[in-house]
C-alpha cells in the first residue's frame, strides 16, 4: 500500500468509527488532567488528523485551497500568507475558574483548532453524526466547505496572569515583563468594551464563513470557562507576508504594508518578531507579542481632501505607491530632500527614523455599517507582531505628530503574548504550566 492509499484507508477507518459509535468526544480526549491529557490528545487526534492530512495534501496539490498545520515551531497566522478574511475574538475567563479550567480550555481549543484548520469538524461526531437527542458538537455551517487556508492563533492577555482577583491560575510570577496594557497614546478614544481581554483568538481564512465558524465553535467550547468579551470581522487584508502577494490597499485608497517583514526574511524575523531563547521568560521562546488596534477612519472627511494633499500626508504616490522622493513602490524613501513631509506617515513610521525598529503587520479593513450620524463606521483593524511590546510603543509615540492623525481615531486596543506553536500531541501554552 502506498502513502496515498494508506492515508485514504486511515481516513475511511476514522469516518467509519465515528459513524458507528458516535466518535470520540472532544471532552473524552481533552478533559483530562495535565499529566494524562497530553497523551490522550495525541491518541485522540491520530485518526481524525490522519484524514485531515490526506485531505490537506490533496487540496494543497490543487493549489486553490491552502491548508496550514496547527502544530509547529511557531503558531500559524503570523508569517502565514495573509488570507482575505479575519474574525478576531477576545475572551475573559469566567469568575471562580481555576488553573485546571484554564488548562482544559487550552487543550480543548487546541484539539478543535487542529481539526478545523485541516477542514474537519470540531470533533469526530461533528455536526450530524452524534446522538440525535443531544446538541451537536459542531454548528455545521462549514459543512462542505474546504479549509480555505484557515489559521487559528491563540494569545494570553495581561489579565490572565493577575487581575483584581489576584493570581487566579498560579502564573503571575511567569508574566512577561513587557506584557502590560498599552500606555495612553495621543488620539486614543478607546471603548473599554472593545479593548483588552484575558485570551484572544485570531481566525484568518480565505472564506469568511470558515473564519466565523471557527470562532463560533471555539466560543461554544469555552462555555462555562470563558466568555466572549468582544470580536471584530475584517476583510481585504492591508499587508502582505510573502513576496508573491501584491501590496493591498486600505480604505484611504493607498497601498499598505509595502515594507512589511516577509516570511522568508529569517534574519528580520529573528531580530524583530520571534522571542529569542535568551529573552525572558523562557516559556515564550519562539513566540511573539500581538498588538491589536481598532482604528476608525473619518472616511467622509478624507474623501474631501485633494489628491496632492493626500499624497503629502502619506508620503507616497496614491496610484503606484512610490515614495514622493522618486522611484517605484519598492524604492527606499530618501528623507534627505524636501519631497517627503517631515510629519508624513511614511517618514515617521520608517525604520530609518526609529532606530531600525520594525514590526510585522497583519491588518484588515473593516466596515461596521454606519454610526449614529449616518457616516460610515469603517477603518483599519491593525494587527502587529513584535519580539518586544516596546517596539510598538516606541513607534506609536513617534507617530504622535503624524499628519494622518487628523483623519483617524484609535477606538479599540489590546495586547497579548502569543506562545510558540504547540508540539503534536500537546496544546498551545503548555510551557507556561510546566
Amino acid at each position: 500500500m502506498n502513502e496515498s492509499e494508506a492515508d485514504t484507508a486511515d481516513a475511511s477507518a476514522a469516518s467509519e468509527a465515528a459513524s458507528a459509535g458516535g466518535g470520540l468526544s472532544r471532552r473524552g480526549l481533552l478533559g483530562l488532567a495535565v499529566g494524562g491529557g497530553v497523551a490522550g490528545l495525541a491518541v485522540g487526534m491520530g485518526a481524525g488528523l490522519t484524514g485531515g492530512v490526506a485531505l490537506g495534501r490533496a487540496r494543497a496539490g490543487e493549489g486553490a485551497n491552502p491548508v496550514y498545520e496547527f502544530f509547529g515551531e511557531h503558531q500559524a497566522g503570523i508569517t502565514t500568507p495573509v488570507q482575505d478574511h479575519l474574525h478576531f475574538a477576545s475572551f475573559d475567563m469566567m469568575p471562580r475558574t481555576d488553573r485546571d479550567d484554564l488548562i482544559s480550555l487550552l487543550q480543548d481549543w487546541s484539539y478543535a483548532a487542529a481539526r478545523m484548520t485541516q477542514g474537519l469538524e470540531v470533533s469526530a461526531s461533528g455536526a450530524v453524526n452524534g446522538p440525535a437527542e443531544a446538541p451537536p458538537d459542531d454548528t455545521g455551517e462549514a459543512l462542505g466547505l474546504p479549509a480555505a487556508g484557515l489559521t487559528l492563533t491563540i494569545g494570553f492577555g495581561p489579565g490572565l496572569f493577575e487581575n483584581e482577583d489576584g493570581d487566579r491560575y498560579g502564573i503571575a510570577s511567569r508574566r512577561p515583563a513587557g506584557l502590560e496594557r498599552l500606555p495612553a497614546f495621543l488620539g486614543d478614544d478607546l471603548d473599554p468594551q472593545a479593548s483588552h481581554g484575558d485570551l484572544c483568538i485570531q481566525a484568518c481564512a480565505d472564506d469568511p464563513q470558515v473564519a466565523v465558524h471557527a470562532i463560533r465553535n471555539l466560543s461554544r467550547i469555552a462555555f462555562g470557562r470563558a466568555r466572549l468579551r468582544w470580536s471584530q470581522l475584517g476583510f481585504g487584508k492591508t499587508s502582505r507576508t510573502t513576496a508573491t502577494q501584491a501590496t493591498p490597499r486600505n480604505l484611504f485608497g493607498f497601498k499598505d504594508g509595502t515594507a512589511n517583514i516577509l516570511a522568508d526574511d529569517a534574519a528580520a524575523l529573528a531580530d524583530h518578531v520571534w522571542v529569542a531563547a535568551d529573552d525572558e521568560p523562557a516559556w515564550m521562546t519562539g513566540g511573539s507579542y500581538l498588538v491589536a488596534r481598532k482604528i476608525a477612519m473619518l472616511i467622509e472627511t478624507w474623501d474631501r481632501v485633494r489628491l496632492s494633499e493626500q499624497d503629502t500626508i502619506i508620503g507616497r504616490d496614491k496610484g503606484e505607491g512610490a515614495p514622493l522622493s522618486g522611484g517605484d513602490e519598492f524604492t527606499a524613501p530618501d528623507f534627505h530632500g524636501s519631497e517627503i513631509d517631515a510629519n508624513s506617515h511614511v517618514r515617521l513610521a520608517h525604520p530609518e527614523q526609529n532606530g531600525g525598529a520594525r514590526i510585522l503587520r497583519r491588518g484588515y479593513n473593516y466596515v461596521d455599517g454606519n454610526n449614529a450620524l449616518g457616516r460610515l463606521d469603517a477603518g483599519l483593524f491593525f494587527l502587529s507582531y513584535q519580539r518586544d511590546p516596546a517596539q510598538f510603543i516606541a513607534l506609536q509615540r513617534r507617530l504622535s505628530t503624524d499628519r494622518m492623525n487628523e483623519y483617524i481615531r484609535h477606538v479599540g486596543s489590546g495586547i497579548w503574548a502569543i506562545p510558540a506553536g504547540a508540539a503534536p500531541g500537546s496544546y498551545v501554552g503548555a510551557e507556561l504550566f510546566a
Side-chain angles (χ1 to χ4, degrees):
M1 182 182 292
N2 60 33
E3 181 180 358
S4 176
E5 291 170 336
D7 286 343
T8 302
D10 287 342
S12 298
S15 176
E16 290 170 3
S19 299
L24 292 171
S25 72
R26 169 183 53 80
R27 272 294 185 188
L29 291 171
L30 285 168
L32 304 173
V34 181
V38 173
L41 177 62
V43 173
M45 283 186 173
L49 287 184
T50 301
V53 169
L55 185 63
R57 287 175 181 167
R59 288 171 177 166
E62 295 168 1
N65 175 53
V67 176
Y68 301 112
E69 291 291 340
F70 178 75
F71 300 109
E73 180 182 4
H74 308 291
Q75 288 199 62
I78 303 175
T79 60
T80 308
V82 186
Q83 303 94 319
D84 290 332
H85 299 276
L86 165 80
H87 192 180
F88 188 91
S90 171
F91 296 82
D92 282 338
M93 291 295 293
M94 296 292 289
R96 295 181 295 279
T97 51
D98 59 22
R99 184 184 178 98
D100 288 343
D101 292 323
L102 175 57
I103 290 172
S104 70
L105 174 60
L106 295 172
Q107 290 175 326
D108 289 358
W109 272 357
S110 296
Y111 171 72
R115 292 181 59 88
M116 288 190 290
T117 54
Q118 299 302 300
L120 302 171
E121 298 164 75
V122 299
S123 72
S125 59
V128 296
N129 290 319
E133 301 307 316
D137 281 353
D138 190 293
T139 53
E141 71 272 25
L143 283 174
L145 297 179
L150 175 66
T151 56
L152 292 164
T153 313
I154 298 171
F156 305 155
L160 188 69
F161 294 83
E162 190 170 14
N163 67 3
E164 61 275 6
D165 295 326
D167 183 6
R168 297 172 291 172
Y169 309 115
I171 55 176
S173 64
R174 311 200 73 185
R175 179 180 65 84
L179 187 65
E180 298 178 350
R181 286 193 177 185
L182 296 171
F185 299 111
L186 186 68
D188 278 3
D189 186 19
L190 303 182
D191 177 359
Q193 299 306 312
S195 300
H196 316 305
D198 293 340
L199 298 162
C200 76
I201 302 175
Q202 172 194 282
C204 298
D206 291 321
D207 184 327
Q209 188 147 323
V210 169
V212 169
H213 167 264
I215 294 297
R216 178 182 176 186
N217 281 273
L218 294 174
S219 298
R220 293 176 74 235
I221 289 170
F223 182 77
R225 292 171 289 182
R227 64 172 182 84
L228 188 65
R229 180 182 176 94
W230 59 270
S231 67
Q232 181 64 52
L233 293 172
F235 70 94
K237 54 184 178 284
T238 61
S239 60
R240 64 191 190 116
T241 54
T242 67
T244 58
Q245 291 181 312
T247 308
R249 294 182 184 268
N250 59 34
L251 293 182
F252 281 164
F254 278 78
K255 291 186 175 183
D256 210 338
T258 294
N260 201 29
I261 298 174
L262 301 183
D264 61 356
D265 192 345
L269 291 171
D271 288 342
H272 302 289
V273 178
W274 305 129
V275 177
D278 56 353
D279 292 336
E280 294 291 341
W283 68 266
M284 274 293 294
T285 299
S288 191
Y289 292 92
L290 167 63
V291 169
R293 302 280 286 180
K294 185 174 182 178
I295 305 173
M297 291 177 166
L298 308 183
I299 298 292
E300 291 81 3
T301 303
W302 176 263
D303 289 346
R304 292 192 292 270
V305 176
R306 65 183 185 273
L307 177 59
S308 62
E309 179 67 6
Q310 290 185 359
D311 286 353
T312 298
I313 291 168
I314 301 300
R316 289 186 179 271
D317 167 79
K318 190 170 188 176
E320 299 298 324
L324 297 184
S325 54
D328 60 25
E329 179 191 346
F330 298 104
T331 301
D334 181 358
F335 299 118
H336 297 96
S338 59
E339 296 91 348
I340 301 179
D341 190 273
N343 291 307
S344 67
H345 184 74
V346 163
R347 181 186 286 267
L348 294 176
H350 198 274
E352 185 179 308
Q353 309 296 310
N354 292 281
R358 301 177 67 188
I359 58 177
L360 187 154
R361 297 183 53 182
R362 208 183 160 87
Y364 285 83
N365 297 312
Y366 76 86
V367 175
D368 292 341
N370 58 286
N371 60 26
L373 298 175
R375 296 172 181 167
L376 201 61
D377 184 359
L380 168 67
F381 192 69
F382 173 94
L383 297 166
S384 72
Y385 288 88
Q386 44 274 307
R387 178 176 172 178
D388 188 325
Q391 296 165 239
F392 172 82
I393 294 171
L395 177 58
Q396 191 61 36
R397 285 175 171 161
R398 176 72 172 161
L399 293 173
S400 63
T401 61
D402 190 348
R403 293 187 60 172
M404 194 167 63
N405 289 340
E406 183 177 348
Y407 305 95
I408 62 175
R409 298 289 184 271
H410 290 246
V411 297
S413 181
I415 183 170
W416 294 268
I418 306 297
S426 187
Y427 60 96
V428 168
E431 295 78 8
L432 172 60
F433 303 97

